[in-house]
Amino acid sequence: MKKNKRSGHIGVLTSGGDTPGLNAAIRGIGKTSANDGSLQVIGFRDGFRGLMENRSVRLDNSMLSGILTLGGTILGTSRDKPHKMPMGGRTVDMTDVIVENYHKNHLDVLVCLGGGGTLKNAYRLSQKGLNILTLPKTIDNDIVGTDVTFGFDTALGVAVDAIDRLHSTASSHHRIIIVEIMGHRVGWLALGAGLAGGADAILIPEIPYTIDTLAESILERVSRGKRFSIVAVAEGAITKEGASKIRAVEKKLETAAEDQRDGLKKQLKQLDGQYRGSTIQMASELEKITGLETRVTILGHLQRGGTPSALDRLLATRLGTSAIDYIKNEQFGIMVAVDGDQTRAVPLQDAAGKINFVPPNHPWIISARNVATSFGD
Ligand code: F6P
């Protein structure tokens, strides 16, 4: 963590996929600064691109009023990275322009609201000498160093509501309904929603499955007179075969010479595309093996839209307001993380580039197994 001079101008941007609670966090930062009286907040549009293009807006009380309950982000967002910015059909390193604009705007600190990708970009900028703070937002809950991320609770609620609704139609038609749930490479959302919604099987990336074991568990239900099944599938779920092929390439990558790395990374990407996100194909295989009519519902971006839950509003407000304490304390180069009902400062290098996977012995997994939920393993 670095200590620099006292802050007066705070820049804020939202980057990566939008998440319910972003506006509550922006409001928390803005209103706490306004109450302090000595801090001004400038918002940059559309993530790092807005800072690069110098598109900003003063976040005064008129901008902040009425946004607590709004989904999305009033600032707009993008997945653009400072060092790989798409520019007229090319990808250009615009880090220097971003650093220049930080100084042109007389920023004392830049607060980046984002997930895993944002953390990496924020860390790179802090290595360029900028004072950076991040707040952990993502529906995926895949950030290391924080108890939880804001946006997760709202998305979980949407997915549970979907499973509840799918139950009655699956039951009426005696069908298997497979519901695909977001989460990128981790299974927090599918696991949480599957357990809370009473799914009969849950497939997550952390527990590779085989289609035969999954089918067996469904046929076992049929033998007990249960004529329908709900399967909650994480978008990153993977078969045992796919997982072992990916693991083999990852292992090679660990010790690969520099000239082999790009080729191996390409292979990994191909395997990922081949083995993950194949819910529709998996459904047709399951239908063939079980002989049961099968339907697929992909929740997709529904899980990111709409009003933030009360819990996410509380969490985002708490993180936004606490960020000002860290700024006044001149603690930079950190993520303001959730630590029970407190916050803690996590150095960016400790969280950037890492993924918070579901541990195999997590209480949700144990509980799900105890209530006879199949993981297809
Ligand atoms: O990281 C949030 C997330 O919604 C993931 O769950 C999902 O894999 C991804 O973003 C989708 O990204 P996009 O909105 O760019 O399609």
Short mmCIF file of all heavy atoms in Angstrom, two decimals, residues 163-221:
data_model
loop_
_atom_site.label_atom_id
_atom_site.label_comp_id
_atom_site.label_asym_id
_atom_site.label_seq_id
_atom_site.Cartn_x
_atom_site.Cartn_y
_atom_site.Cartn_z
N ILE A 163 -36.03 -20.50 -10.84
CA ILE A 163 -36.15 -21.94 -10.52
C ILE A 163 -37.52 -22.22 -9.90
O ILE A 163 -38.18 -23.21 -10.23
CB ILE A 163 -35.00 -22.39 -9.59
CG1 ILE A 163 -33.66 -22.31 -10.34
CG2 ILE A 163 -35.22 -23.80 -9.06
CD1 ILE A 163 -32.44 -22.67 -9.50
N ASP A 164 -37.96 -21.33 -9.02
CA ASP A 164 -39.30 -21.50 -8.41
C ASP A 164 -40.37 -21.59 -9.51
O ASP A 164 -41.24 -22.44 -9.48
CB ASP A 164 -39.63 -20.31 -7.50
CG ASP A 164 -38.80 -20.31 -6.23
OD1 ASP A 164 -38.11 -21.31 -5.96
OD2 ASP A 164 -38.83 -19.30 -5.50
N ARG A 165 -40.28 -20.69 -10.48
CA ARG A 165 -41.30 -20.67 -11.54
C ARG A 165 -41.18 -21.91 -12.44
O ARG A 165 -42.20 -22.44 -12.91
CB ARG A 165 -41.13 -19.41 -12.41
CG ARG A 165 -41.57 -18.17 -11.69
CD ARG A 165 -41.19 -16.90 -12.44
NE ARG A 165 -41.44 -15.75 -11.60
CZ ARG A 165 -42.63 -15.17 -11.46
NH1 ARG A 165 -43.66 -15.62 -12.13
NH2 ARG A 165 -42.78 -14.15 -10.64
N LEU A 166 -39.95 -22.35 -12.69
CA LEU A 166 -39.77 -23.50 -13.59
C LEU A 166 -40.29 -24.79 -12.95
O LEU A 166 -40.69 -25.72 -13.66
CB LEU A 166 -38.29 -23.64 -13.97
CG LEU A 166 -37.77 -22.51 -14.88
CD1 LEU A 166 -36.25 -22.58 -15.03
CD2 LEU A 166 -38.44 -22.56 -16.26
N HIS A 167 -40.30 -24.83 -11.62
CA HIS A 167 -40.79 -26.02 -10.93
C HIS A 167 -42.21 -26.40 -11.35
O HIS A 167 -42.49 -27.56 -11.65
CB HIS A 167 -40.77 -25.81 -9.40
CG HIS A 167 -39.63 -26.52 -8.74
ND1 HIS A 167 -38.49 -25.86 -8.31
CD2 HIS A 167 -39.44 -27.81 -8.43
CE1 HIS A 167 -37.66 -26.73 -7.78
NE2 HIS A 167 -38.21 -27.93 -7.84
N SER A 168 -43.10 -25.41 -11.37
CA SER A 168 -44.50 -25.77 -11.63
C SER A 168 -44.70 -26.25 -13.06
O SER A 168 -45.44 -27.20 -13.32
CB SER A 168 -45.44 -24.61 -11.29
OG SER A 168 -45.11 -23.50 -12.08
N THR A 169 -44.01 -25.64 -14.01
CA THR A 169 -44.20 -26.07 -15.40
C THR A 169 -43.50 -27.42 -15.64
O THR A 169 -44.03 -28.29 -16.35
CB THR A 169 -43.79 -24.97 -16.42
OG1 THR A 169 -43.84 -25.53 -17.73
CG2 THR A 169 -42.43 -24.39 -16.19
N ALA A 170 -42.32 -27.61 -15.00
CA ALA A 170 -41.63 -28.90 -15.16
C ALA A 170 -42.51 -30.02 -14.59
O ALA A 170 -42.66 -31.09 -15.19
CB ALA A 170 -40.30 -28.87 -14.42
N SER A 171 -43.12 -29.73 -13.46
CA SER A 171 -43.96 -30.73 -12.80
C SER A 171 -45.21 -31.03 -13.64
O SER A 171 -45.59 -32.19 -13.81
CB SER A 171 -44.31 -30.20 -11.40
OG SER A 171 -45.45 -30.81 -10.93
N SER A 172 -45.86 -29.99 -14.18
CA SER A 172 -47.08 -30.20 -14.97
C SER A 172 -46.82 -31.05 -16.21
O SER A 172 -47.64 -31.87 -16.60
CB SER A 172 -47.66 -28.86 -15.42
OG SER A 172 -47.84 -28.02 -14.33
N HIS A 173 -45.66 -30.83 -16.85
CA HIS A 173 -45.36 -31.53 -18.11
C HIS A 173 -44.50 -32.77 -17.92
O HIS A 173 -44.12 -33.40 -18.91
CB HIS A 173 -44.64 -30.57 -19.07
CG HIS A 173 -45.55 -29.57 -19.70
ND1 HIS A 173 -46.15 -29.76 -20.92
CD2 HIS A 173 -45.97 -28.36 -19.26
CE1 HIS A 173 -46.90 -28.71 -21.22
NE2 HIS A 173 -46.80 -27.84 -20.22
N HIS A 174 -44.12 -33.07 -16.68
CA HIS A 174 -43.25 -34.22 -16.39
C HIS A 174 -41.97 -34.15 -17.21
O HIS A 174 -41.60 -35.08 -17.91
CB HIS A 174 -43.99 -35.55 -16.67
CG HIS A 174 -45.41 -35.51 -16.21
ND1 HIS A 174 -45.75 -35.34 -14.89
CD2 HIS A 174 -46.58 -35.60 -16.89
CE1 HIS A 174 -47.06 -35.33 -14.78
NE2 HIS A 174 -47.59 -35.48 -15.98
N ARG A 175 -41.33 -32.99 -17.14
CA ARG A 175 -40.13 -32.76 -17.95
C ARG A 175 -38.89 -32.57 -17.08
O ARG A 175 -38.99 -32.26 -15.89
CB ARG A 175 -40.29 -31.44 -18.74
CG ARG A 175 -41.19 -31.56 -19.93
CD ARG A 175 -41.43 -30.18 -20.51
NE ARG A 175 -42.10 -30.28 -21.79
CZ ARG A 175 -42.75 -29.29 -22.38
NH1 ARG A 175 -42.84 -28.11 -21.79
NH2 ARG A 175 -43.31 -29.47 -23.55
N ILE A 176 -37.75 -32.69 -17.75
CA ILE A 176 -36.52 -32.19 -17.14
C ILE A 176 -36.40 -30.75 -17.63
O ILE A 176 -36.55 -30.48 -18.83
CB ILE A 176 -35.27 -32.96 -17.65
CG1 ILE A 176 -35.36 -34.45 -17.29
CG2 ILE A 176 -34.00 -32.34 -17.09
CD1 ILE A 176 -34.24 -35.29 -17.92
N ILE A 177 -36.19 -29.82 -16.70
CA ILE A 177 -35.88 -28.44 -17.15
C ILE A 177 -34.48 -28.10 -16.65
O ILE A 177 -34.18 -28.22 -15.47
CB ILE A 177 -36.92 -27.41 -16.71
CG1 ILE A 177 -38.26 -27.72 -17.41
CG2 ILE A 177 -36.44 -25.99 -17.06
CD1 ILE A 177 -39.28 -26.60 -17.42
N ILE A 178 -33.67 -27.70 -17.61
CA ILE A 178 -32.29 -27.31 -17.29
C ILE A 178 -32.24 -25.79 -17.31
O ILE A 178 -32.65 -25.17 -18.30
CB ILE A 178 -31.32 -27.88 -18.34
CG1 ILE A 178 -31.42 -29.41 -18.30
CG2 ILE A 178 -29.89 -27.43 -18.07
CD1 ILE A 178 -30.60 -30.12 -19.34
N VAL A 179 -31.77 -25.21 -16.22
CA VAL A 179 -31.69 -23.75 -16.18
C VAL A 179 -30.22 -23.35 -16.11
O VAL A 179 -29.50 -23.75 -15.20
CB VAL A 179 -32.56 -23.14 -15.05
CG1 VAL A 179 -32.33 -23.79 -13.71
CG2 VAL A 179 -32.34 -21.63 -14.93
N GLU A 180 -29.79 -22.60 -17.13
CA GLU A 180 -28.37 -22.17 -17.17
C GLU A 180 -28.24 -20.82 -16.47
O GLU A 180 -28.97 -19.88 -16.76
CB GLU A 180 -27.87 -22.05 -18.61
CG GLU A 180 -26.36 -21.78 -18.64
CD GLU A 180 -25.86 -21.42 -20.02
OE1 GLU A 180 -25.63 -22.33 -20.84
OE2 GLU A 180 -25.68 -20.20 -20.29
N ILE A 181 -27.28 -20.80 -15.55
CA ILE A 181 -27.11 -19.63 -14.67
C ILE A 181 -25.71 -19.05 -14.90
O ILE A 181 -24.74 -19.79 -15.07
CB ILE A 181 -27.31 -20.09 -13.20
CG1 ILE A 181 -28.76 -20.55 -13.02
CG2 ILE A 181 -26.95 -19.00 -12.20
CD1 ILE A 181 -29.06 -21.27 -11.74
N MET A 182 -25.62 -17.72 -14.92
CA MET A 182 -24.31 -17.07 -15.15
C MET A 182 -23.32 -17.37 -14.03
O MET A 182 -23.66 -18.04 -13.06
CB MET A 182 -24.50 -15.56 -15.29
CG MET A 182 -24.83 -15.10 -16.68
SD MET A 182 -24.77 -13.30 -16.76
CE MET A 182 -24.93 -13.04 -18.53
N GLY A 183 -22.12 -16.84 -14.15
CA GLY A 183 -21.12 -17.04 -13.11
C GLY A 183 -19.71 -17.13 -13.65
O GLY A 183 -18.77 -17.37 -12.91
N HIS A 184 -19.59 -16.97 -14.99
CA HIS A 184 -18.27 -17.04 -15.64
C HIS A 184 -17.63 -18.39 -15.33
O HIS A 184 -18.22 -19.42 -15.61
CB HIS A 184 -17.42 -15.85 -15.22
CG HIS A 184 -16.28 -15.58 -16.17
ND1 HIS A 184 -16.46 -15.51 -17.53
CD2 HIS A 184 -14.97 -15.37 -15.96
CE1 HIS A 184 -15.30 -15.29 -18.10
NE2 HIS A 184 -14.37 -15.20 -17.17
N ARG A 185 -16.44 -18.42 -14.70
CA ARG A 185 -15.74 -19.70 -14.47
C ARG A 185 -16.01 -20.28 -13.08
O ARG A 185 -15.40 -21.27 -12.69
CB ARG A 185 -14.23 -19.52 -14.62
CG ARG A 185 -13.80 -19.18 -16.02
CD ARG A 185 -13.84 -20.42 -16.90
NE ARG A 185 -13.50 -20.10 -18.27
CZ ARG A 185 -14.39 -19.71 -19.17
NH1 ARG A 185 -15.67 -19.62 -18.86
NH2 ARG A 185 -14.01 -19.44 -20.41
N VAL A 186 -16.93 -19.65 -12.30
CA VAL A 186 -17.18 -20.16 -10.94
C VAL A 186 -18.66 -20.53 -10.77
O VAL A 186 -19.51 -20.13 -11.56
CB VAL A 186 -16.77 -19.14 -9.84
CG1 VAL A 186 -15.31 -18.75 -9.98
CG2 VAL A 186 -17.67 -17.93 -9.84
N GLY A 187 -18.94 -21.27 -9.70
CA GLY A 187 -20.29 -21.81 -9.55
C GLY A 187 -21.11 -21.23 -8.41
O GLY A 187 -22.15 -21.79 -8.05
N TRP A 188 -20.69 -20.07 -7.85
CA TRP A 188 -21.41 -19.54 -6.69
C TRP A 188 -22.90 -19.33 -6.97
O TRP A 188 -23.76 -19.69 -6.15
CB TRP A 188 -20.78 -18.21 -6.25
CG TRP A 188 -19.44 -18.35 -5.62
CD1 TRP A 188 -18.23 -18.03 -6.17
CD2 TRP A 188 -19.15 -18.87 -4.31
NE1 TRP A 188 -17.22 -18.31 -5.29
CE2 TRP A 188 -17.75 -18.82 -4.14
CE3 TRP A 188 -19.93 -19.36 -3.27
CZ2 TRP A 188 -17.11 -19.24 -2.99
CZ3 TRP A 188 -19.29 -19.79 -2.12
CH2 TRP A 188 -17.91 -19.73 -1.98
N LEU A 189 -23.20 -18.70 -8.12
CA LEU A 189 -24.61 -18.37 -8.41
C LEU A 189 -25.45 -19.63 -8.63
O LEU A 189 -26.56 -19.74 -8.09
CB LEU A 189 -24.69 -17.50 -9.67
CG LEU A 189 -24.70 -15.99 -9.48
CD1 LEU A 189 -24.74 -15.32 -10.83
CD2 LEU A 189 -25.87 -15.53 -8.61
N ALA A 190 -24.92 -20.56 -9.42
CA ALA A 190 -25.68 -21.79 -9.71
C ALA A 190 -25.85 -22.61 -8.44
O ALA A 190 -26.93 -23.17 -8.18
CB ALA A 190 -24.98 -22.61 -10.79
N LEU A 191 -24.79 -22.67 -7.63
CA LEU A 191 -24.86 -23.45 -6.39
C LEU A 191 -25.87 -22.82 -5.43
O LEU A 191 -26.76 -23.51 -4.90
CB LEU A 191 -23.47 -23.50 -5.74
CG LEU A 191 -23.40 -24.14 -4.36
CD1 LEU A 191 -23.81 -25.62 -4.40
CD2 LEU A 191 -21.98 -24.02 -3.77
N GLY A 192 -25.75 -21.51 -5.23
CA GLY A 192 -26.65 -20.82 -4.29
C GLY A 192 -28.09 -20.91 -4.75
O GLY A 192 -29.00 -21.23 -3.96
N ALA A 193 -28.31 -20.65 -6.05
CA ALA A 193 -29.68 -20.66 -6.56
C ALA A 193 -30.23 -22.08 -6.58
O ALA A 193 -31.40 -22.31 -6.25
CB ALA A 193 -29.71 -20.07 -7.97
N GLY A 194 -29.37 -23.04 -6.93
CA GLY A 194 -29.82 -24.44 -6.97
C GLY A 194 -30.22 -24.93 -5.59
O GLY A 194 -31.25 -25.59 -5.43
N LEU A 195 -29.41 -24.57 -4.60
CA LEU A 195 -29.71 -25.02 -3.23
C LEU A 195 -30.97 -24.32 -2.69
O LEU A 195 -31.87 -24.96 -2.15
CB LEU A 195 -28.50 -24.73 -2.33
CG LEU A 195 -28.57 -25.19 -0.88
CD1 LEU A 195 -28.83 -26.69 -0.77
CD2 LEU A 195 -27.27 -24.85 -0.14
N ALA A 196 -31.02 -22.98 -2.89
CA ALA A 196 -32.17 -22.23 -2.37
C ALA A 196 -33.45 -22.57 -3.14
O ALA A 196 -34.56 -22.50 -2.58
CB ALA A 196 -31.89 -20.73 -2.46
N GLY A 197 -33.31 -22.93 -4.42
CA GLY A 197 -34.50 -23.22 -5.23
C GLY A 197 -34.86 -24.70 -5.23
O GLY A 197 -35.84 -25.11 -5.84
N GLY A 198 -34.06 -25.52 -4.56
CA GLY A 198 -34.38 -26.95 -4.48
C GLY A 198 -34.18 -27.68 -5.80
O GLY A 198 -34.95 -28.60 -6.14
N ALA A 199 -33.14 -27.29 -6.55
CA ALA A 199 -32.86 -28.01 -7.81
C ALA A 199 -32.47 -29.45 -7.47
O ALA A 199 -31.89 -29.71 -6.41
CB ALA A 199 -31.72 -27.32 -8.56
N ASP A 200 -32.78 -30.37 -8.37
CA ASP A 200 -32.48 -31.79 -8.10
C ASP A 200 -31.03 -32.12 -8.45
O ASP A 200 -30.47 -33.07 -7.92
CB ASP A 200 -33.45 -32.66 -8.91
CG ASP A 200 -34.86 -32.24 -8.59
OD1 ASP A 200 -35.28 -32.43 -7.43
OD2 ASP A 200 -35.55 -31.66 -9.47
N ALA A 201 -30.47 -31.36 -9.37
CA ALA A 201 -29.05 -31.51 -9.69
C ALA A 201 -28.46 -30.13 -9.91
O ALA A 201 -29.16 -29.21 -10.36
CB ALA A 201 -28.87 -32.35 -10.95
N ILE A 202 -27.19 -29.98 -9.52
CA ILE A 202 -26.48 -28.71 -9.69
C ILE A 202 -25.14 -29.03 -10.34
O ILE A 202 -24.39 -29.88 -9.83
CB ILE A 202 -26.24 -28.02 -8.32
CG1 ILE A 202 -27.57 -27.74 -7.59
CG2 ILE A 202 -25.45 -26.73 -8.50
CD1 ILE A 202 -27.40 -27.19 -6.17
N LEU A 203 -24.85 -28.36 -11.45
CA LEU A 203 -23.55 -28.59 -12.12
C LEU A 203 -22.75 -27.30 -12.06
O LEU A 203 -23.21 -26.26 -12.53
CB LEU A 203 -23.77 -29.00 -13.57
CG LEU A 203 -24.69 -30.22 -13.80
CD1 LEU A 203 -24.79 -30.52 -15.30
CD2 LEU A 203 -24.17 -31.45 -13.05
N ILE A 204 -21.56 -27.39 -11.45
CA ILE A 204 -20.71 -26.19 -11.34
C ILE A 204 -19.30 -26.51 -11.83
O ILE A 204 -18.88 -27.68 -11.80
CB ILE A 204 -20.68 -25.64 -9.89
CG1 ILE A 204 -20.14 -26.68 -8.88
CG2 ILE A 204 -22.05 -25.16 -9.45
CD1 ILE A 204 -19.93 -26.13 -7.47
N PRO A 205 -18.56 -25.49 -12.27
CA PRO A 205 -17.22 -25.75 -12.83
C PRO A 205 -16.29 -26.43 -11.84
O PRO A 205 -15.42 -27.20 -12.26
CB PRO A 205 -16.69 -24.35 -13.16
CG PRO A 205 -17.86 -23.44 -13.17
CD PRO A 205 -18.92 -24.06 -12.33
N GLU A 206 -16.48 -26.17 -10.56
CA GLU A 206 -15.56 -26.71 -9.55
C GLU A 206 -15.75 -28.20 -9.35
O GLU A 206 -14.88 -28.87 -8.78
CB GLU A 206 -15.77 -25.99 -8.21
CG GLU A 206 -15.35 -24.52 -8.20
CD GLU A 206 -16.45 -23.57 -8.70
OE1 GLU A 206 -17.44 -24.05 -9.29
OE2 GLU A 206 -16.31 -22.36 -8.49
N ILE A 207 -16.90 -28.75 -9.79
CA ILE A 207 -17.15 -30.19 -9.66
C ILE A 207 -17.49 -30.74 -11.05
O ILE A 207 -18.67 -30.75 -11.45
CB ILE A 207 -18.31 -30.48 -8.67
CG1 ILE A 207 -18.07 -29.79 -7.33
CG2 ILE A 207 -18.50 -31.99 -8.49
CD1 ILE A 207 -19.17 -30.00 -6.30
N PRO A 208 -16.48 -31.19 -11.80
CA PRO A 208 -16.77 -31.72 -13.14
C PRO A 208 -17.73 -32.91 -13.06
O PRO A 208 -17.70 -33.68 -12.09
CB PRO A 208 -15.39 -32.13 -13.66
CG PRO A 208 -14.42 -31.29 -12.88
CD PRO A 208 -15.04 -31.15 -11.51
N TYR A 209 -18.59 -33.04 -14.09
CA TYR A 209 -19.65 -34.06 -14.05
C TYR A 209 -19.51 -35.01 -15.23
O TYR A 209 -18.74 -34.76 -16.16
CB TYR A 209 -21.03 -33.38 -14.10
CG TYR A 209 -21.33 -32.72 -15.43
CD1 TYR A 209 -22.04 -33.39 -16.44
CD2 TYR A 209 -20.87 -31.43 -15.72
CE1 TYR A 209 -22.31 -32.79 -17.66
CE2 TYR A 209 -21.14 -30.83 -16.93
CZ TYR A 209 -21.85 -31.51 -17.91
OH TYR A 209 -22.10 -30.92 -19.12
N THR A 210 -20.26 -36.14 -15.15
CA THR A 210 -20.43 -36.94 -16.37
C THR A 210 -21.93 -37.00 -16.64
O THR A 210 -22.74 -37.01 -15.70
CB THR A 210 -19.90 -38.39 -16.24
OG1 THR A 210 -20.73 -39.09 -15.32
CG2 THR A 210 -18.45 -38.44 -15.78
N ILE A 211 -22.27 -37.03 -17.90
CA ILE A 211 -23.68 -37.02 -18.29
C ILE A 211 -24.38 -38.30 -17.79
O ILE A 211 -25.54 -38.28 -17.40
CB ILE A 211 -23.82 -36.82 -19.82
CG1 ILE A 211 -25.26 -36.48 -20.21
CG2 ILE A 211 -23.33 -38.00 -20.60
CD1 ILE A 211 -25.65 -35.08 -19.93
N ASP A 212 -23.62 -39.41 -17.75
CA ASP A 212 -24.22 -40.68 -17.31
C ASP A 212 -24.60 -40.61 -15.83
O ASP A 212 -25.68 -41.08 -15.44
CB ASP A 212 -23.26 -41.85 -17.56
CG ASP A 212 -23.13 -42.12 -19.05
OD1 ASP A 212 -24.12 -41.87 -19.77
OD2 ASP A 212 -22.06 -42.55 -19.49
N THR A 213 -23.72 -40.04 -15.00
CA THR A 213 -24.04 -39.94 -13.57
C THR A 213 -25.23 -39.01 -13.35
O THR A 213 -26.11 -39.28 -12.52
CB THR A 213 -22.81 -39.43 -12.78
OG1 THR A 213 -21.68 -40.17 -13.19
CG2 THR A 213 -23.00 -39.54 -11.30
N LEU A 214 -25.26 -37.93 -14.12
CA LEU A 214 -26.39 -36.99 -14.01
C LEU A 214 -27.69 -37.71 -14.39
O LEU A 214 -28.70 -37.63 -13.67
CB LEU A 214 -26.15 -35.78 -14.92
CG LEU A 214 -27.28 -34.78 -15.01
CD1 LEU A 214 -27.53 -34.11 -13.67
CD2 LEU A 214 -26.97 -33.70 -16.07
N ALA A 215 -27.65 -38.43 -15.52
CA ALA A 215 -28.84 -39.15 -15.99
C ALA A 215 -29.30 -40.18 -14.96
O ALA A 215 -30.51 -40.32 -14.68
CB ALA A 215 -28.54 -39.83 -17.33
N GLU A 216 -28.33 -40.87 -14.39
CA GLU A 216 -28.63 -41.88 -13.36
C GLU A 216 -29.41 -41.27 -12.21
O GLU A 216 -30.39 -41.84 -11.71
CB GLU A 216 -27.31 -42.41 -12.79
CG GLU A 216 -27.05 -43.89 -12.97
CD GLU A 216 -25.60 -44.19 -12.58
OE1 GLU A 216 -25.25 -43.98 -11.41
OE2 GLU A 216 -24.85 -44.59 -13.48
N SER A 217 -28.96 -40.09 -11.76
CA SER A 217 -29.62 -39.46 -10.60
C SER A 217 -31.05 -39.06 -10.95
O SER A 217 -31.94 -39.11 -10.12
CB SER A 217 -28.81 -38.26 -10.10
OG SER A 217 -28.90 -37.20 -11.01
N ILE A 218 -31.26 -38.70 -12.21
CA ILE A 218 -32.62 -38.32 -12.62
C ILE A 218 -33.51 -39.57 -12.73
O ILE A 218 -34.67 -39.58 -12.29
CB ILE A 218 -32.56 -37.50 -13.93
CG1 ILE A 218 -31.99 -36.11 -13.58
CG2 ILE A 218 -33.93 -37.40 -14.59
CD1 ILE A 218 -31.67 -35.24 -14.75
N LEU A 219 -32.94 -40.62 -13.29
CA LEU A 219 -33.72 -41.88 -13.42
C LEU A 219 -34.02 -42.47 -12.04
O LEU A 219 -35.08 -43.09 -11.84
CB LEU A 219 -32.97 -42.88 -14.30
CG LEU A 219 -32.92 -42.47 -15.78
CD1 LEU A 219 -32.01 -43.41 -16.58
CD2 LEU A 219 -34.32 -42.42 -16.40
N GLU A 220 -33.12 -42.24 -11.11
CA GLU A 220 -33.36 -42.71 -9.74
C GLU A 220 -34.57 -41.98 -9.14
O GLU A 220 -35.40 -42.56 -8.45
CB GLU A 220 -32.08 -42.48 -8.91
CG GLU A 220 -32.01 -43.20 -7.57
CD GLU A 220 -32.60 -42.37 -6.46
OE1 GLU A 220 -32.53 -41.13 -6.54
OE2 GLU A 220 -33.18 -42.96 -5.52
N ARG A 221 -34.69 -40.68 -9.46
CA ARG A 221 -35.87 -39.92 -9.01
C ARG A 221 -37.13 -40.50 -9.64
O ARG A 221 -38.15 -40.66 -8.98
CB ARG A 221 -35.74 -38.45 -9.45
CG ARG A 221 -34.96 -37.58 -8.50
CD ARG A 221 -34.79 -36.17 -9.07
NE ARG A 221 -36.05 -35.47 -9.38
CZ ARG A 221 -36.85 -34.93 -8.48
NH1 ARG A 221 -36.56 -34.99 -7.20
NH2 ARG A 221 -37.97 -34.31 -8.86
#
